[in-house]
Amino acid sequence: MTEPLEGADWAARADEGRRLAPSAGEPAADAALLALLLDATDSAVSRRTAEAPARTGSPAAARLLTEALALADAALGDWIATGADDGSEPAPTG
């Protein structure tokens, strides 16, 4: 399991969140996903990362999103919630 891509651009960090989402529930993946969800440098990382576990629909992913929302400040929590909402809609095609 890799550490979050500190210093990488926002898109690379968000891609890492999408890559790790299916592993939610594994301690190393959860630690990395939580760090990405709570990314203080770019809310786009939080939003895009939140979308991926929401798409999995697993109980572990839901627990992780709930934990991130509990730890986030109001502004970041809004971005996490928006990403989770995005993930509950059908994936875009094309």
Side-chain angles (χ1 to χ4, degrees):
M1 195 66 52
T2 61
E3 292 297 315
L5 301 173
E6 293 181 24
D9 73 347
W10 76 269
R13 294 191 320 272
D15 285 345
E16 182 73 354
R18 284 192 290 275
R19 186 186 72 75
L20 290 171
S23 300
E26 297 175 15
D30 285 357
L33 283 164
L34 192 58
L36 290 163
L37 286 164
L38 298 173
D39 189 310
T41 59
D42 198 320
S43 58
V45 174
S46 300
R47 179 179 180 175
R48 298 288 172 93
T49 299
E51 184 179 344
R55 284 202 191 286
T56 72
S58 74
R63 180 198 49 78
L64 188 64
L65 289 167
T66 301
E67 183 178 353
L69 286 168
L71 294 170
D73 64 26
L76 188 55
D78 286 345
W79 286 112
I80 294 169
T82 298
D85 287 345
D86 292 346
S88 67
E89 297 177 7
T93 59

